Amino acid sequence: VFLSSKVLESASSATQTAPVFIISGLAIADATEEVSLTSLAQSPVFDGASLFCSTEGKRGKALWVEASQQLRLVMCDAAKMWRGEQYAFSFDVSNPAAPQASPQISIEMQGGTAWQPAAFAKTGTSSDPLFICEAPQCSLGTYATGCVECAVCPSKSCPPGEILVLEGCSASSGGSCISCDSFANAIWSGTSCVCAPGFYGDGTTCFECPDGQTSLQGSTSSSDCALTVQQARA
């Protein structure tokens, strides 16, 4: 179940390539390649199942791609979705036999006017529908847990010579350990990754001092480049 795009006036298949909605993050066991969609239309929600067709043109069908774990919904010829309206459908999912954490499910549109991936939100009980939400802009060291809240990344330690990068952390990952050598003009000081002499950093990048100036190892500001090359040697 999803809301139509709030940005588009309409999404229409009246283009050379029919728009395709892609639902990612599903984990389905024993899925058939062709998935049947069931209408959940009930005022003021519109029928979403009849908007999508199989490659043979049969309405109410979607394509399951096992390799990428994606459900692809191709809009039928002349089908149209209007801005601000709700369209609903359902399909059966057979969960894998082994226990699994709740996956991060998202939807995007390809073809026509691009629609970047948007997260699904779920509230209430297992019978409640999924809705598209805008994930919050979380600060460094936190990650989105839904449509509103952010959580602190799990703690993680890195071996000597590597630093912790928090971008892209999640509930199962406290970030990535990256070698100090992979950063341009940075060196390992024995306890941390710092900028080499002649450079200064902002915590992510090392910048070269102006011509005729240099800096000591570990400099963090352009003002640290006040030394001339001769003074540094002295």
Side-chain angles (χ1 to χ4, degrees):
V1 179
F2 56 92
L3 298 175
S4 61
S5 171
K6 296 180 179 179
V7 178
L8 303 178
E9 189 65 35
S10 68
S12 174
S13 61
T15 58
Q16 290 184 347
T17 302
V20 181
F21 288 88
I22 301 175
I23 300 178
S24 302
L26 298 171
I28 303 177
D30 302 324
T32 58
E33 183 173 311
E34 190 175 86
V35 177
S36 295
L37 307 177
T38 302
S39 174
L40 293 178
Q42 184 176 356
S43 181
V45 179
F46 290 88
D47 175 21
S50 63
L51 291 171
F52 305 105
C53 287
S54 67
T55 53
E56 291 79 21
K58 293 186 293 183
R59 288 186 178 274
K61 300 294 182 180
L63 175 66
W64 171 250
V65 183
E66 178 66 27
S68 58
Q69 297 281 288
Q70 293 178 333
L71 187 68
R72 297 177 63 86
L73 302 115
V74 182
M75 290 185 68
C76 303
D77 290 342
K80 183 170 290 188
M81 299 178 69
W82 291 99
R83 175 186 177 185
E85 303 295 348
Q86 297 184 33
Y87 299 86
F89 61 87
S90 68
F91 55 91
D92 293 332
V93 172
S94 176
N95 288 325
Q100 62 173 345
S102 180
Q104 296 293 321
I105 303 174
S106 64
I107 186 171
E108 63 183 294
M109 187 179 77
Q110 296 179 354
T113 302
W115 182 5
Q116 296 302 312
F120 273 120
K122 183 172 181 61
T123 58
T125 67
S126 59
S127 61
D128 290 329
L130 294 169
F131 288 97
I132 291 175
C133 72
E134 292 291 340
Q137 296 296 318
C138 298
S139 59
L140 185 64
T142 64
Y143 63 94
T145 58
C147 295
V148 178
E149 298 180 349
C150 298
V152 177
C153 300
S155 60
K156 182 174 183 175
S157 299
C158 296
E162 297 185 0
I163 64 170
L164 179 62
V165 177
L166 293 174
E167 285 87 355
C169 75
S170 64
S172 60
S173 171
S176 304
C177 291
I178 300 179
S179 172
C180 182
D181 295 337
S182 64
F183 294 90
N185 308 309
I187 59 175
W188 183 253
S189 68
T191 57
S192 61
C193 188
V194 299
C195 291
F199 296 84
Y200 65 93
D202 60 0
T204 58
T205 305
C206 291
F207 304 96
E208 188 173 9
C209 289
D211 291 342
Q213 295 184 348
T214 190
S215 63
L216 300 178
Q217 174 180 306
S219 294
T220 58
S221 171
S222 59
S223 61
D224 295 330
C225 295
L227 291 173
T228 64
V229 175
Q230 289 75 14
Q231 289 173 327
R233 291 174 177 172

